[in-house]
Amino acid sequence: MAADPKPCHADKEVMAATVLTTLSTNPLVLNPSPAATGWKECLSASYSSSTSGNWSWDASDQSVPSTPSPPLSNDVNKSFLIYSQGEDNIEETESTHFLFEDPIPRKRKNSMKMMFKCLWKNCEKVLSTSSGIQRHIRTIHLGRNGDSDYSDGEEDFYYSEIEVNMDTLSEGLSNLTPTSPTTLGPPPVFPLSSDMAQSKSATVIHSPLSQSAPSTLCHIHTDHAYQATAPVSIPTVSSEPMHSHSAISVSWQSPSIFFKSQPGKVTHVGILSTVEKRPPVTHAVSKTHNATISTPKPSPGTRKPRGEAKKCRKVYGMEKKDLWCTACRWKKACQRFTD
DNA sequence: TGTGCCGGGAT
DNA sequence: ATCCCGGCACA
């Protein structure tokens, strides 16, 4: 994991910084500059030399070693990134992949890249390496000697990691539609029950500063609404950019699920794109991308929407059917657990 | 695929 | 009225 500068690494870094600075400043207006194209070509050339499938951007310092935080995965098949620490890591990831299957098959492999964004006020500097951003902060903002490698770690406070979709970036550059509704939209409201909630319109995974803190990004998938006892209202759809996945939406989290799965650990999951749907009280939120407004289809047959309350069957199970209310036993509307 | 329950038949 | 179940909608 030592610095392994590839031939075009320097150029790449500069290009990335330039382009992404523009991008982060104005995600909509992307100048299809030839430089960006060249940059991407440079990137692909660089990537093709590495092993297929699970390449890693050669930013060796993209993750801080020996921290509680796992190395940020570059194996991003979709427009999101999941990370879960623990033994159920893989399973979680896979299942979530299915859950968040992009309905529109697109270029998806190897398209995410960790970048480091300067958080200094009025500074939109984005670099591809943490060392670069640290140097930037040291020299520009902290007024220290840039040549020196000395770092007291203070720089960590002033930058954060962001994730950028390379495909989108290049796509946007070449296929720019100025009026495309790819804004990040209003920041989604995440009715988390704790103040761990945090939503950003940018893809801030975590900064080194917060690595030891419990993550704020957590994905859950609950099968039953009643399992999530968190007093949450319906998570609103974060108006999701259809193609521009340099941004994310963050799903809400149910503490009960969260702690059940990982009692003592910090499980943090970053999600890019897509939202959770649920609960069923009103219409569920569609997770489709292209349907800007999903019609809940009220079913002309006026069949009552399924209630979210526990029913006898669920409470007692089939083996204790004698405990069911009569209605449930007769396959009628449950009388004991009415909605 | 499992669940909730409507509609309707049997007793 | 009570009991039972086919079958459908929904998640």
Side-chain angles (χ1 to χ4, degrees):
Chain A
M1 287 290 274
D4 180 20
K6 288 197 165 62
C8 29
H9 185 219
D11 289 338
K12 176 177 66 185
E13 186 170 314
V14 174
M15 294 292 192
T18 307
V19 173
L20 287 168
T21 302
T22 305
L23 177 66
S24 63
T25 306
N26 190 348
L28 265 183
V29 181
L30 299 170
N31 298 318
S33 64
T37 309
W39 166 57
K40 196 198 174 190
E41 287 170 357
C42 178
L43 291 186
S44 20
S46 174
Y47 295 154
S48 58
S49 63
S50 57
T51 55
S52 61
N54 193 11
W55 59 268
S56 73
W57 178 280
D58 61 0
S60 55
D61 46 1
Q62 66 179 354
S63 65
V64 182
S66 72
T67 58
S69 181
L72 292 168
S73 170
N74 283 312
D75 183 16
V76 179
N77 299 340
K78 307 285 185 301
S79 50
F80 62 92
L81 180 139
I82 285 288
Y83 225 99
S84 164
Q85 186 179 29
E87 49 281 350
D88 52 352
N89 186 339
I90 298 169
E91 183 182 337
E92 179 76 8
T93 304
E94 285 179 354
S95 64
T96 318
H97 279 201
F98 284 106
L99 277 174
F100 294 95
E101 181 78 42
D102 190 335
I104 307 171
R106 304 178 63 83
K107 295 179 290 182
R108 53 187 56 183
K109 281 258 180 197
N110 306 338
S111 56
M112 303 307 284
K113 161 83 177 77
M114 291 309 302
M115 304 295 285
F116 298 86
K117 181 180 180 181
C118 177
L119 297 177
W120 201 276
K121 192 166 65 177
N122 296 330
C123 181
E124 299 285 347
K125 189 78 171 176
V126 177
L127 294 177
S128 62
T129 62
S130 64
S131 58
I133 196 69
Q134 286 181 4
R135 196 180 321 124
H136 158 82
I137 290 167
R138 266 202 310 277
T139 56
I140 304 298
H141 300 309
L142 298 179
R144 293 179 185 165
N145 187 357
D147 297 333
S148 164
D149 278 344
Y150 167 75
S151 167
D152 56 3
E154 188 180 350
E155 303 88 4
D156 292 353
F157 290 83
Y158 300 114
Y159 73 90
S160 66
E161 297 177 27
I162 65 174
E163 193 165 25
V164 178
N165 187 327
M166 294 316 207
D167 284 351
T168 304
L169 180 61
S170 56
E171 235 172 71
L173 291 170
S174 60
N175 191 16
L176 174 65
T177 49
T179 55
S180 69
T182 54
T183 54
L184 299 175
V189 179
F190 298 105
L192 300 190
S193 57
S194 69
D195 56 0
M196 291 164 60
Q198 155 187 321
S199 68
K200 290 201 171 196
S201 53
T203 313
V204 177
I205 301 303
H206 56 263
S207 69
L209 176 62
S210 61
Q211 278 179 346
S212 59
S215 167
T216 62
L217 305 179
C218 179
H219 162 257
I220 60 161
H221 56 283
T222 56
D223 292 329
H224 307 295
Y226 58 81
Q227 290 178 337
T229 55
V232 294
S233 57
I234 301 170
T236 18
V237 178
S238 63
S239 64
E240 205 230 324
M242 272 166 143
H243 302 311
S244 174
H245 288 300
S246 58
I248 58 163
S249 65
V250 182
S251 75
W252 54 284
Q253 141 191 0
S254 165
S256 60
I257 302 295
F258 178 83
F259 289 119
K260 187 167 71 180
S261 59
Q262 295 288 336
K265 286 188 191 171
V266 173
T267 301
H268 67 303
V269 177
I271 299 191
L272 305 179
S273 88
T274 321
V275 293
E276 270 295 1
K277 56 179 188 174
R278 206 98 251 197
V281 187
T282 58
H283 59 273
V285 171
S286 170
K287 65 180 174 186
T288 57
H289 291 218
N290 40 11
T292 50
I293 298 174
S294 66
T295 26
K297 193 179 91 172
S299 138
T302 65
R303 197 182 182 105
K304 190 165 66 171
R306 180 165 299 181
E308 61 180 342
K310 300 177 195 177
K311 303 297 181 188
C312 294
R313 181 201 292 256
K314 278 228 170 138
V315 173
Y316 303 111
M318 290 296 291
E319 60 275 11
K320 295 177 185 171
K321 198 170 180 176
D322 49 348
L323 294 178
W324 295 11
C325 66
T326 53
C328 279
R329 262 184 281 133
W330 301 340
K331 294 170 72 172
K332 299 293 181 188
C334 180
Q335 296 168 340
R336 185 170 299 167
F337 304 104
T338 55
D339 295 328

